[in-house]
Amino acid sequence: MEVSAEAKRIMVVALGKLYSSRTQRGGLRLHRSLLLTLVMKSARDIYHAAQTTAESMEEEQPSEVKMTTEASGTQELQGPASLPHLAADADAQGDAQNQDSSCLSGPPHHTRKRRGKATAEPDFLPCKKAKLEYGTAQQLIVSSVLVDYANCCSELGPSPSPIPLQTVIAAC
Amino acid sequence: VKGAMDDDVAEADIISTVEFNHTGELLATGDKGGRVVIFQQEPESKNQPQCRGEYNVYSTFQSHEPEFDYLKSLEIEEKINKIRWLPQKNAAQFLLSTNDKTIKLWKISERDKRPEGYNLKEEDGRYRDPNSVTTLRVPVLRPMDLMVEASPRRVFANAHTYHINSISVNSDHETYLSADDLRINLWHLEITDRSFNIVDIKPANMEELTEVITAAEFHPDQCNTFVYSSSKGTIRLCDMRASALCDQHAKMFEEPEDPNNRSFFSEIISSISDVKFSHSGRYMMTRDYLSVKIWDLNMETRPVETYQVHEYLRSKLCSLYENDCIFDKFECCWNELKLDPKQLLMIVCFHSVVMTGSYNNFFRMFDRDYRQDVTFEASRENSKPRSVLKPRKISTGGKRKKDEISVDSLDFNKKILHTAWHPLDNIIAVATTNNLYIFQDKLN
């Protein structure tokens, strides 16, 4: 599908930009990181909405508290409410096998810590970077409380699951 | 045209801000290398009364140096983000310049006399042998070649965790504000070790961050009022009399999004990159990626006017996103044209015009009264001295007329982000990547 392919491409590009902005002179730019995260989330929602219209409903496993994202051989996004970069991590790993994404084929690991926000906000602590190993199945517990934003995004396409978007975030 | 001719642009030479002082006699530019260059307008010559004076370099100094924050392992760029002039109070000129973290107050003063005839020193500075001093004389001031000195008078540091995007001098001429992504601080020009935080939009949990501050400005007349714009396309007006911390806005200006234009990039292109009050203080102008909007301060629901700067880019947002151009922050400016108190003539027919930049070294002007707009290009080929700028047209549809430029041939590396308008005259300064173009209108 056109839309879902474009959405995936946008997510991949956003990830690449977020990743490369860590090495930028002057430090992480909060504004830019925020915009990239928003684009990625928007693309993820559209991608997901496009997927659910194509795929059957059994592949969506809504759960109330814990969500797991698993790297699957196919390119589906699992877990509708995972944070964009974590979902995209799982997705990107599937992608890297199938796409020539030059942004992501290089570094196989991604930081779990928020790229845009928390790492730009080290008030008195140095940046900690936790690494996510490539290829291992992630049993991640992710959370996001962006209910308002999710409500806005759900106007873009049919909401994938009827439950409110409440999930637990990975503590880094 | 000021600046180097080479095609290879040194990164440090990239102009990052342009600002006229309050009389328009001085024009300051800041660059990515942390330098400030000030141009001064030559007095009008009697030989050519039709032409206003040219701008020549008056002073150059290094305002900011790169720094390293050891605690966070971050380099702090020396790039000058903004320059704002203080109104002149005595013979010296003062300006505020800021990089990402530190604001500095610079004093620019002229020296055209120097003392001569010291008793203990020779003219070159060497000390005389005291035994050779037989008479006493009083040193006198003698004229010398004009020397312009810039000295840092105040350094306002360590008040911003995030990157400073704006500074604005208050109409009381004693205080100013500085804004970063999440906070706005109020300073007194005399006091460097303290500032008051007046806006703080940092959420308790950074995961919940949805918008950042992108620009802020004081009202031109009301010293208690300021506005700040956000990445969500909203502008908040705050009154400092209401409370010490202005997290509650007095007014919020927001236009509902057009659902037909919704795309992946709606959030990015709705982010406001600049906000400027009109001289009267009745209106304010905002610039987002594709348009310029004029807001009436009395109406919060939508702008009173919207001008499309380069609507033909809407279908190209995906590639502009990939090449990072979609993140470019364009500024905008009003034609100030204040009534000069020295002038006895009333300006009867006064057009309100706004100006902003675009790509391919184009800049656009919108005449609010005649509802006309025009595109000009700032390039060396088109801007020989005394030649008239020809308006440019971009062809959007199928058939391209002669002289039109097609959207696909636009050079997105050549962008005009910074423009400024002389406060009292029809002279504009337009900054391309590393060159400064100064245009003036033809007097009849």
Side-chain angles (χ1 to χ4, degrees):
Chain A
M1 279 182 72
E2 257 318 298
V3 170
S4 97
E6 203 192 345
K8 198 157 58 180
R9 183 148 152 254
I10 287 171
M11 284 191 309
V12 161
V13 168
L15 263 181
K17 287 186 195 291
L18 279 169
Y19 191 79
S20 64
S21 67
R22 283 165 49 212
T23 54
Q24 231 176 26
R25 203 171 163 244
L28 277 172
R29 300 264 153 194
L30 188 65
H31 184 197
R32 181 183 159 91
S33 307
L34 176 69
L35 291 177
L36 283 168
T37 312
L38 291 174
V39 160
M40 206 155 59
K41 193 171 197 302
S42 178
R44 175 189 62 87
D45 290 346
I46 291 178
Y47 176 81
H48 192 70
Q51 289 296 95
T52 51
T53 57
E55 305 292 335
S56 63
M57 286 306 286
E58 287 111 324
E59 292 185 82
E60 302 305 311
Q61 298 293 329
S63 83
E64 280 164 357
V65 179
K66 284 189 188 166
M67 295 274 185
T68 60
T69 59
E70 284 178 316
S72 56
T74 62
Q75 298 166 37
E76 280 126 51
L77 268 178
Q78 304 240 336
S82 46
L83 262 180
H85 60 281
L86 289 159
D89 280 354
D91 196 48
Q93 289 169 16
D95 278 351
Q97 297 158 7
N98 298 321
Q99 272 187 6
D100 301 331
S101 168
S102 55
C103 323
L104 292 166
S105 56
H109 49 266
H110 302 273
T111 59
R112 249 190 301 158
K113 203 136 166 88
R114 231 84 312 106
R115 285 179 191 84
K117 296 157 238 178
T119 49
E121 185 252 338
D123 277 325
F124 50 85
L125 292 173
C127 288
K128 286 197 271 188
K129 297 190 216 319
K131 292 193 183 162
L132 212 54
E133 291 306 321
Y134 177 82
T136 59
Q138 294 92 22
Q139 296 277 331
L140 290 174
I141 302 168
V142 303
S143 116
S144 116
V145 195
L146 297 164
V147 181
D148 287 348
Y149 193 84
N151 287 339
C152 291
C153 282
S154 67
E155 286 160 20
L156 297 169
S159 188
S161 62
I163 54 153
L165 293 172
Q166 294 276 344
T167 49
V168 179
I169 198 160
C172 292
Chain B
V1 185
K2 312 290 172 194
M5 291 276 285
D6 351 296
D7 285 329
D8 262 343
V9 179
E11 179 137 348
D13 292 335
I14 295 174
I15 297 173
S16 50
T17 185
V18 180
E19 187 81 0
F20 278 100
N21 76 336
H22 293 266
T23 61
E25 186 204 350
L26 297 176
L27 175 62
T29 61
D31 66 23
K32 219 168 169 199
R35 287 167 304 202
V36 172
V37 179
I38 303 177
F39 300 89
Q40 183 188 41
Q41 189 178 27
E42 299 302 322
E44 282 176 28
S45 71
K46 296 192 177 33
N47 302 338
Q48 290 184 305
Q50 300 300 326
C51 285
R52 302 166 189 83
E54 275 197 7
Y55 280 84
N56 295 316
V57 178
Y58 177 67
S59 172
T60 304
F61 57 93
Q62 186 76 33
S63 171
H64 286 73
E65 299 274 358
E67 288 171 51
F68 197 78
D69 182 336
Y70 294 99
L71 212 52
K72 299 175 199 170
S73 287
L74 285 179
E75 194 178 359
I76 299 170
E77 276 190 297
E78 68 275 29
K79 174 168 80 96
I80 307 294
N81 292 335
K82 283 279 158 36
I83 290 174
R84 290 286 182 263
W85 290 92
L86 265 54
Q88 191 172 12
K89 284 188 194 161
N90 51 39
Q93 301 277 356
F94 288 87
L95 60 78
L96 286 168
S97 74
T98 184
N99 69 347
D100 283 336
K101 298 285 182 184
T102 306
I103 307 129
K104 293 188 185 179
L105 176 69
W106 287 88
K107 177 179 176 183
I108 296 107
S109 47
E110 292 184 2
R111 194 202 288 250
D112 60 355
K113 291 183 182 48
R114 63 169 195 181
E116 285 179 17
Y118 282 103
N119 292 296
L120 297 174
K121 279 196 293 190
E122 302 285 358
E123 296 307 328
D124 59 10
R126 279 181 304 147
Y127 281 99
R128 293 166 74 181
D129 178 7
N131 300 326
S132 68
V133 178
T134 52
T135 56
L136 271 182
R137 55 187 175 169
V138 177
V140 290
L141 289 173
R142 292 214 194 280
M144 61 177 245
D145 289 337
L146 181 66
M147 200 165 74
V148 181
E149 298 172 323
S151 58
R153 300 310 265 181
R154 306 268 187 279
V155 177
F156 304 91
N158 300 324
H160 286 279
T161 309
Y162 302 95
H163 297 122
I164 298 175
N165 53 56
S166 314
I167 47 175
S168 176
V169 183
N170 204 349
S171 50
D172 63 9
H173 301 167
E174 286 185 353
T175 56
Y176 74 94
L177 63 76
S178 59
D180 67 26
D181 292 317
L182 296 178
R183 299 192 178 100
I184 302 180
N185 293 333
L186 181 72
W187 301 84
H188 192 284
L189 283 163
E190 300 292 325
I191 299 168
T192 59
D193 60 356
R194 236 174 312 154
S195 71
F196 289 102
N197 176 240
I198 51 176
V199 172
D200 188 341
I201 64 167
K202 183 177 168 197
N205 183 0
M206 280 297 272
E207 314 288 338
E208 293 162 30
L209 182 72
T210 54
E211 66 182 326
V212 296
I213 297 169
T214 52
E217 193 178 59
F218 266 118
H219 190 278
D221 302 317
Q222 297 166 20
C223 57
N224 51 278
T225 307
F226 65 93
V227 292
Y228 67 93
S229 60
S230 84
S231 54
K232 266 192 178 169
T234 64
I235 310 103
R236 288 175 178 79
L237 184 136
C238 299
D239 187 335
M240 295 197 287
R241 296 170 301 189
S243 70
L245 190 61
C246 299
D247 280 355
Q248 303 289 326
H249 52 262
K251 292 193 187 196
M252 174 141 115
F253 300 83
E254 187 173 14
E255 181 175 29
E257 194 192 349
D258 180 1
N260 297 328
N261 276 335
R262 179 112 186 97
S263 76
F264 287 111
F265 310 105
S266 295
E267 280 94 8
I268 302 184
I269 64 170
S270 62
S271 177
I272 292 175
S273 50
D274 195 15
V275 66
K276 292 264 169 46
F277 273 106
S278 68
H279 173 63
S280 62
R282 165 97 192 265
Y283 297 98
M284 65 179 174
M285 165 166 59
T286 59
R287 174 73 156 98
D288 51 69
Y289 190 66
L290 294 178
S291 66
V292 164
K293 295 181 181 173
I294 311 286
W295 303 79
D296 184 327
L297 255 56
N298 297 320
M299 186 162 80
E300 298 167 62
T301 50
R302 57 180 172 78
V304 288
E305 291 150 36
T306 301
Y307 300 100
Q308 300 301 333
V309 181
H310 35 219
E311 181 69 13
Y312 48 82
L313 295 183
R314 195 181 286 274
S315 53
K316 300 209 168 296
L317 290 178
C318 199
S319 38
L320 292 167
Y321 159 71
E322 285 176 22
N323 66 16
D324 262 3
C325 283
I326 207 173
F327 298 103
D328 286 335
K329 296 186 187 169
F330 291 95
E331 292 174 8
C332 52
C333 61
W334 298 83
N335 67 333
E336 301 271 325
L337 292 184
K338 298 187 260 262
L339 283 174
D340 189 350
K342 295 193 212 94
Q343 283 178 3
L344 298 174
L345 295 164
M346 287 281 284
I347 301 174
V348 176
C349 177
F350 170 63
H351 287 222
S352 180
V353 181
V354 297
M355 172 168 67
T356 188
S358 177
Y359 293 104
N360 210 70
N361 281 350
F362 286 162
F363 58 99
R364 303 260 282 142
M365 289 193 194
F366 301 93
D367 186 324
R368 297 175 59 217
D369 299 310
Y370 278 1
R371 298 286 153 160
Q372 281 174 349
D373 61 87
V374 66
T375 306
F376 291 116
E377 181 180 355
S379 70
R380 288 202 181 256
E381 300 81 49
N382 298 343
S383 313
K384 309 274 186 309
R386 313 268 177 269
S387 69
V388 177
L389 262 189
K390 205 176 62 158
R392 311 307 303 263
K393 274 189 102 65
I394 296 105
S395 82
T396 49
K399 231 174 152 216
R400 187 168 75 87
K401 300 197 191 80
K402 191 176 89 102
D403 271 358
E404 278 187 357
I405 303 185
S406 83
V407 181
D408 298 310
S409 63
L410 293 176
D411 186 341
F412 291 99
N413 290 321
K414 293 189 185 164
K415 51 191 93 165
I416 292 179
L417 302 173
H418 311 286
T419 58
W421 207 306
H422 191 293
L424 299 171
D425 210 344
N426 267 338
I427 301 175
I428 57 173
V430 166
T432 59
T433 311
N434 67 331
N435 284 332
L436 184 71
Y437 290 78
I438 301 170
F439 299 106
Q440 55 193 37
D441 75 349
K442 215 170 156 200
L443 292 169
N444 289 321

